[in-house]
Amino acid sequence: MVKAKQINVNNLPISILDINEDDYFCLTHMTKNQQEGSKIIEKWLTNKNTIEFLGVWEQLNNPNFNSHEFGGIMSEAGTNRFYLSVKQWVERTKAMGITARTGKYGGTYAHKDIAFNFGLYISPLFNLLLIKEFQRLKEIENNQYGLEWNVKRILSKANYHIQTDAINNYIIPTLNYSQKREWIYADEADLLNIVLFGCTAKQWRDANPERSLNGENIRDIASINELTILSNIESLNSTLIKNNVDKKNRFKILLETVQEQRRTLDNIDFIKSMKKMSPDIYIENKKKK
């Protein structure tokens, strides 16, 4: 599965695809501010030093690389009529470090090692800025708040199953209308959404159509503290259900619990109260603080 992210180098957005768990930079995007445009990729690829670099990279990383064909290309390189496209390079050598893609993420993409070589070909300054922004991206991805957010999200999903078991054992048997199972699960989930976020899942989707189309839901953009509280009230709600507390009183108890825990947790660590609106929200706010 291909996943996309983006960095910004001197106001130039550059897409990075996760291909087979490796980062591939869009070389096409890297050429947007160049006078020659994307033709600079062809010029770089025709350079004999570039071909030698690509060949060494493939030999180190690609067990299927056709070294014999690579030798033939190296012997051709440097002549006046020599030309090599990305497609030709890949087809002749079975290379995997550089690729041309079509569709949503169309363009020429290269493994980060190769992309940095291309960045240096553009200019040393551009390459240093590219490396700096990529390092910043990796810092964000690996920062402790991001990791903690993922852990809390996993816990909240686990506790959701505890709540659904309580619904299945104590609420479902008392109902007799059609499709009761699907309806009651969603209804109980929205009970928690309302006491914690102030709206139902549908209301959030209607207010955030773009994020919804991207597959996100109201809980995906919650703060670390909110996910902690969510995990707690899912467990609490399952206990209340087992004790036959009616929905009106459960709502009151859950709302009071949310308000109390939110005050406590937000006072302990303000940064953890920030919603996950973007991948860098936690680390950027940490620096500001």
Side-chain angles (χ1 to χ4, degrees):
M1 181 179 180
V2 176
K3 298 180 181 179
K5 44 199 170 187
Q6 194 175 82
I7 59 174
N8 194 295
V9 179
N10 275 353
N11 297 319
L12 180 66
I14 300 172
S15 293
I16 302 176
L17 296 186
D18 184 339
I19 302 177
N20 298 324
E21 299 184 354
D22 275 318
D23 291 306
Y24 279 65
F25 288 63
C26 183
L27 304 190
T28 308
H29 291 172
M30 291 168 62
T31 67
K32 291 291 186 182
N33 290 342
Q34 301 303 308
Q35 188 174 3
E36 297 172 275
S38 60
K39 289 184 178 180
I40 195 172
I41 299 175
E42 297 178 3
K43 186 177 178 181
W44 166 73
L45 194 56
T46 305
N47 185 287
K48 191 167 185 176
N49 291 332
T50 298
I51 297 172
E52 183 178 9
F53 174 84
L54 293 177
V56 172
W57 188 94
E58 294 290 344
Q59 289 171 341
L60 290 173
N61 298 279
N62 183 3
N64 299 316
F65 183 61
N66 190 330
S67 296
H68 176 75
E69 192 67 27
F70 166 62
I73 294 174
M74 279 296 295
S75 65
E76 299 169 14
T79 62
N80 292 334
R81 291 181 296 179
F82 177 71
Y83 171 80
L84 183 68
S85 69
V86 172
K87 183 178 180 181
Q88 290 171 337
W89 169 252
V90 173
E91 288 180 349
R92 291 179 63 178
T93 67
K94 308 299 182 185
M96 57 180 282
I98 187 168
T99 180
R101 301 180 65 90
T102 59
K104 183 177 180 181
Y105 301 113
T108 299
Y109 285 81
H111 187 277
K112 60 180 180 295
D113 299 341
I114 298 171
F116 293 147
N117 179 274
F118 179 64
L120 185 60
Y121 183 82
I122 293 175
S123 81
L125 175 60
F126 180 85
N127 193 48
L128 287 172
L129 293 174
L130 181 71
I131 294 172
K132 180 180 180 181
E133 282 303 303
F134 181 67
Q135 289 173 334
R136 188 184 71 86
L137 174 66
K138 303 314 287 185
E139 181 185 2
I140 290 169
E141 289 180 343
N142 296 319
N143 79 83
Q144 62 175 331
Y145 284 118
L147 176 62
E148 185 172 353
W149 188 92
N150 289 332
V151 171
K152 297 298 185 185
R153 188 71 177 99
I154 292 169
L155 286 175
S156 68
K157 288 181 178 180
N159 276 349
Y160 175 75
H161 291 291
I162 296 175
Q163 176 177 275
T164 56
D165 283 346
I167 294 169
N168 191 52
N169 294 329
Y170 295 91
I171 295 182
I172 294 293
T174 67
L175 306 177
N176 56 15
Y177 44 84
S178 62
Q179 296 183 328
K180 58 188 178 182
R181 185 182 299 271
E182 293 79 4
W183 181 86
I184 199 65
Y185 287 152
D187 189 54
E188 286 297 329
D190 270 336
L191 173 65
L192 302 187
N193 288 335
I194 291 172
V195 297
L196 182 57
F197 304 113
C199 64
T200 65
K202 183 179 184 304
Q203 288 171 336
W204 184 88
R205 289 195 300 271
D206 291 342
N208 299 272
E210 291 186 6
R211 300 188 76 114
S212 179
L213 287 174
N214 287 332
E216 293 179 297
N217 62 50
I218 190 172
R219 301 182 181 195
D220 288 328
I221 57 91
S223 69
I224 293 176
N225 284 349
E226 285 174 332
L227 290 176
T228 301
I229 297 170
L230 176 60
S231 179
N232 293 340
I233 62 175
E234 281 174 334
S235 180
L236 173 60
N237 193 39
S238 66
T239 300
L240 295 174
I241 289 172
K242 291 177 183 178
N243 286 293
N244 296 317
V245 180
D246 63 70
K247 188 175 181 180
K248 182 178 179 180
N249 284 315
R250 281 193 287 117
F251 177 87
K252 182 179 179 181
I253 294 170
L254 292 169
L255 182 60
E256 290 175 350
T257 302
V258 167
Q259 292 172 343
E260 180 182 353
Q261 293 190 7
R262 192 192 295 273
R263 283 193 300 268
T264 300
L265 294 176
D266 289 356
N267 285 334
I268 293 174
D269 193 335
F270 171 73
I271 301 301
K272 292 183 183 179
S273 70
M274 304 298 293
K275 289 184 180 292
K276 193 175 188 290
M277 300 305 290
S278 68
D280 63 352
I281 188 71
Y282 302 122
I283 194 168
E284 292 300 324
N285 278 279
K286 183 179 180 182
K287 289 179 179 177
K288 290 177 183 178
K289 187 177 180 181

